[in-house]
Structure formats: C-alpha cells, structure tokens
C-alpha cells in the first residue's frame, strides 16, 4: 500500500492550483463587483502578476540554489540510473517536438507547450522518493534532479528563444533558473555551502515558492483553451505521463539497477510537469494560458498514473 500513498502527495499540489483558480474567479465575480471593499476582490490580474514576478525572480531561485547546493552528489553506483534518466528525458524531448508534425500547432503554441512534455516537478519528486525509499530514495532523487535540471531548462529555453526575438545563448545567459542551478552546482562541487543563517533563509524562501508557484499557475488558466487544443493537451500529456514512464520502466528492467534505483527512476519519470515553466513561458512571451492548462491537466492525470506505475516496480 505504500505506493498508493503517492496519490495523496499530489492532492495538496492540485488543491493549491484549485485555490488559485477559485480566488481568481471570486475576484472577477459579481460578488466582488458588488462589494468593492471585500478583500476577496483583491486577487486581480495585477496582484497575480506581482506574485508571479516575486516567485520567478526570488523564490524559485532560492529553491534551486539551495537544493542543488545541498544535494549529496555521490555518483558511485548510480551511473546506470543517471544514464537511464538522461535517455528518458532526451526521448521525452524528441517526442514532445514531434507534435509539430502530428498536431500541427501554431508556432507559439509549439514553442510554449513543448517544454511541458519532458520537464518534471522537482518538489513532488523529492516527496515521493522519501515515501518509496526513505532517506536513500531522497539522496538518489536529489542526484537525478540536480543532473537533469540543467538539461531540461536548456531545452525549454531553446524552444522559446527560437520563437522570440533574442538568441538562444542570450536567453540562457540571463535565465535566472539556469543561473541559480549553475551557481548551486558550482558551489556544491567546490565544497562551499552558505552559513546556517543564510541557508535557513534560502530554505524558507524556497519552501514558499512551492505554494505560491502552484497558485500562480491557475491565475492564468483558461479552461476554454481546451476546446481549441485537445490534441495538443492529449499528446504532451501522453508523452509526459505515459511514454516517458514506459521508457524508464523498460530501461530499469534492462540495466543493472538496484530495486531502489529502479523505483526512484520510475518515480522521476512519473512526475507531472513543473509549474515553474508557466512563469518561464510568460516571461519569454510564450502562450502562458496553454502552459497553465497543460500543467493542471498533467498534475490531475498524475494523481491516477503515478500510483499505478509505482505499483509495477514496488
């Protein structure tokens, strides 16, 4: 029954997305119009844009730097797992881009939504790893997250930069998520860790990024987009929650992995896409509402697919 506990790990995340949506709906409802003094009318687009900027430029940076700086990158005995994770992510990237020929989306939708087919929610990654393999699972998942974040960030930024006016390397050089990850990995490798007061500050800033980041996802969500893009939503959701999982499962069966490594690999591949890339799409001129819709659809889908896939390897 331990694998079924992963179902409940995603419920708080989806509840936060739903809460953000409810607040947004109330702020634009007739009730808010009739009661302008009510605090429920304050959750407007202007409010969420301010929260979005704070999350993107401060809270998520703190989270990425702190997690990669503190991770224990002991790669001995985990090389096969890392290779399998890299192959799984690369396959997800290729399959996500095939939407160009299969679904034929407009260029902006392709550039914005492609990233959701191969990225992962690192917050849920670490939580699920602790459930299925205790501290060893958390350590292995930290290695995977630290190694894969630069790869998926570069692929995601490339898809949007290719559509935008600026070049890829210019966007990568100034992308705060990549900067924070590189700084965290670099200081980790040279053995420098922030003093305890600063570490506690970064930890608390990063913890707040989870809740606020999920709530800002639904601030820009438009369910009406589903009618115009069911094929895109189905394709990228299928790539993330089905295809990548199947690839990871096959690799875990044919490579020399321990049972714990196999569980962590499958859990990694089973994650829904990261909510932070809604913010990335908005900042780089992408289709934010489409990304928000995909994030919500994948998070909801993972509530059902994650326990089923973990049951196969546990």
């Amino acid at each position: 029954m331990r694998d079924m506990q992963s179902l409940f790990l995603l419920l708080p995340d989806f509840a936060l997305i739903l809460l953000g949506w409810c607040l947004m709906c109330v702020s634009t409802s007739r009730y808010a119009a009739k009661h302008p003094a009510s605090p429920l009318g304050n959750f407007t687009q202007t409010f969420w844009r301010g929260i979005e900027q704070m999350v993107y430029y401060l809270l998520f940076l703190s989270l990425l730097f702190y997690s990669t700086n503190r991770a224990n990158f002991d790669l001995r005995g985990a090389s096969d797992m890392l290779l399998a994770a890299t192959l799984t992510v690369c396959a997800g990237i290729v399959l996500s881009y095939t939407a160009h020929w299969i679904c034929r989306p407009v260029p902006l939708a392709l550039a914005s939504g492609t990233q959701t087919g191969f990225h992962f929610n690192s917050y849920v990654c670490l939580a699920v790893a602790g459930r299925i393999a205790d501290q060893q699972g958390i350590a292995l998942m930290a290695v995977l997250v630290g190694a894969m974040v630069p790869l998926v960030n570069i692929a995601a930024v490339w898809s949007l930069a290719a559509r935008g006016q600026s070049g890829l390397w210019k966007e990568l050089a100034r992308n705060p998520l990549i900067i924070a990850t590189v700084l965290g990995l670099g200081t980790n490798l040279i053995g420098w860790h922030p003093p305890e007061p600063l570490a506690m500050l970064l930890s608390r800033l990063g913890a707040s990024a989870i809740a606020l980041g999920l709530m800002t996802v639904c601030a820009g969500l438009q369910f009406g987009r589903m009618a115009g893009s069911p094929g895109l939503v189905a394709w990228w959701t299928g790539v993330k929650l089905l295809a990548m999982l199947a690839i990871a499962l096959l690799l875990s069966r044919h490579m020399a992995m321990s049972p714990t490594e196999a569980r962590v690999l499958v859990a990694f591949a089973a994650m829904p896409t990261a909510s932070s890339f809604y913010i990335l799409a908005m900042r780089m001129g992408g289709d934010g509402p489409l990304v928000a819709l995909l994030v919500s659809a994948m998070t909801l889908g993972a509530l059902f697919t994650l326990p089923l896939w973990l049951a196969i390897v546990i």
Side-chain angles (χ1 to χ4, degrees):
M1 295 297 294
R2 293 184 67 188
D3 54 289
M4 295 303 296
Q5 295 178 5
S6 57
L7 172 66
F8 299 102
L9 290 173
L10 283 172
L11 286 176
D13 292 333
F14 191 74
L16 285 170
I17 295 176
L18 180 61
L19 176 59
W21 173 250
C22 291
L23 291 174
M24 185 62 135
C25 290
V26 171
S27 67
T28 57
S29 66
R30 293 181 179 179
Y31 173 83
K34 293 180 178 180
H35 302 83
S38 172
L40 293 177
N42 294 330
F43 301 101
T44 61
Q45 284 285 356
T46 302
F47 171 84
W48 288 113
R49 279 196 293 268
I51 296 295
E52 173 193 327
Q53 292 179 4
M54 181 179 68
V55 170
Y56 186 75
Y57 289 107
L58 176 62
L59 303 183
F60 271 118
L61 272 64
S62 301
L63 177 67
L64 284 175
F65 176 82
Y66 180 79
S67 59
T68 52
N69 176 268
R70 305 282 287 195
N72 181 18
F73 291 100
D74 183 7
L75 302 183
R76 292 176 298 178
S79 57
D80 287 331
M81 183 186 67
L82 283 171
L83 175 60
T86 302
L87 293 175
T88 300
V89 170
C90 289
I93 294 172
V94 172
L95 289 173
S96 295
Y97 275 100
T98 58
H100 173 70
W101 297 278
I102 295 176
C103 303
R104 298 190 177 279
V106 297
L108 182 61
L110 178 67
S112 304
T114 297
Q115 57 188 299
T116 65
F118 53 81
H119 207 276
F120 53 90
N121 192 316
S122 57
Y123 322 134
V124 186
C125 275
L126 296 174
V128 172
R131 289 285 191 178
I132 63 176
D134 300 321
Q135 291 299 317
Q136 183 182 5
I138 293 176
L140 289 172
M141 187 65 81
V143 172
L144 281 185
V145 169
M148 294 300 109
V149 160
L151 173 61
V152 297
N153 278 353
I154 289 173
V157 171
W158 181 85
S159 67
L160 288 168
R163 173 64 183 167
Q165 298 296 322
S166 55
L168 168 64
W169 298 112
K170 180 179 179 180
E171 290 293 345
L172 291 177
R174 68 184 188 183
N175 182 270
L177 302 181
I178 294 180
I179 293 173
T181 302
V182 171
L183 288 176
L185 289 172
T187 52
N188 189 329
L189 292 175
I190 65 175
W192 182 87
H193 302 286
E196 192 61 25
L198 179 58
M200 290 180 62
L201 174 62
L202 293 172
S203 176
R204 291 177 179 176
L205 287 173
S208 62
I210 299 175
L212 290 176
L214 289 172
M215 292 176 69
T216 59
V217 166
C218 241
L221 184 58
Q222 297 180 11
F223 286 107
R225 289 298 301 272
M226 180 66 79
S229 54
L232 285 175
V233 174
W235 179 258
W236 281 319
T237 301
V239 168
K240 186 68 196 76
L241 299 183
L242 299 177
M244 287 185 64
L245 280 164
I247 293 169
L249 183 60
L250 289 174
L251 291 173
S252 69
R253 295 286 176 86
H254 292 86
M255 299 180 72
M257 294 185 205
S258 67
T260 299
E261 291 172 350
R263 296 171 188 173
V264 170
L265 174 66
V266 172
F268 168 80
M271 291 298 110
T273 196
S275 60
S276 60
F277 278 88
Y278 160 74
I279 302 171
L280 175 65
M282 293 297 290
R283 292 273 65 81
M284 295 184 64
D287 191 339
L290 175 62
V291 174
L293 173 61
L294 286 162
V295 169
S296 298
M298 292 180 188
T299 302
L300 179 60
L303 287 170
F304 304 97
T305 59
L306 177 56
L308 295 177
W309 283 100
L310 292 180
I312 297 176
V313 296
I314 292 181

